[in-house]
Amino acid sequence: MSESRALCRVEDIPDNGAIAVRVESSTGGFEIILMRQGEAVFGYHNECPHQGRQLDYVPGKFLVKEGCIMCAAHGALFKVHSGERVAGPCSTGLVRVPVRIEGTEVFSA
């Protein structure tokens, strides 16, 4: 069994905010958006389902307000706790990346 590495500490994610974390892989890697509401952390691929663009308006900076994250490119809105599409030009929600909290650290599940 391989040892998993922490993605970040819970405190690295602003409450009601988001950060991007790079995950290396054999295919070159990808970014995960980690969002926090209180003690809960949610992970999604940093990719809008509309045209595959990243959701951040500058690297690692996201528009999060009232429980939703907005795609900076086209204005699509997604619920933080589920990734479900609320509004915008795409027909599906965000792709979830399961995460777990152990102590003060966030790991991919």
Side-chain angles (χ1 to χ4, degrees), residues 63-75:
L63 302 168
V64 182
K65 185 176 181 182
E66 298 177 8
C68 290
I69 185 167
M70 177 187 285
C71 173
H74 301 103

Side-chain angles (χ1 to χ4, degrees), residues 12-42:
D12 294 336
I13 310 166
D15 195 11
N16 297 310
I19 64 169
V21 176
R22 179 100 181 136
V23 176
E24 298 303 325
S25 73
S26 61
T27 58
F30 56 94
E31 275 195 2
I32 298 173
I33 303 166
L34 294 175
M35 297 185 274
R36 183 167 76 114
Q37 289 183 326
E39 299 302 314
V41 174
F42 307 94

Side-chain angles (χ1 to χ4, degrees), residues 13-105:
I13 310 166
D15 195 11
N16 297 310
I19 64 169
V21 176
R22 179 100 181 136
V23 176
E24 298 303 325
S25 73
S26 61
T27 58
F30 56 94
E31 275 195 2
I32 298 173
I33 303 166
L34 294 175
M35 297 185 274
R36 183 167 76 114
Q37 289 183 326
E39 299 302 314
V41 174
F42 307 94
Y44 302 96
H45 282 273
N46 185 6
E47 184 176 325
C48 181
H50 177 229
Q51 290 187 336
R53 303 226 358 219
Q54 291 187 327
L55 279 81
D56 36 2
Y57 61 92
V58 296
K61 301 291 183 184
F62 300 90
L63 302 168
V64 182
K65 185 176 181 182
E66 298 177 8
C68 290
I69 185 167
M70 177 187 285
C71 173
H74 301 103
L77 286 176
F78 306 92
K79 292 182 180 177
V80 167
H81 68 274
S82 67
E84 177 185 353
R85 177 194 161 273
V86 175
C90 44
S91 59
T92 62
L94 300 177
V95 175
R96 176 165 272 192
V97 175
V99 296
R100 69 182 191 283
I101 298 171
E102 290 183 17
T104 61
E105 297 184 310

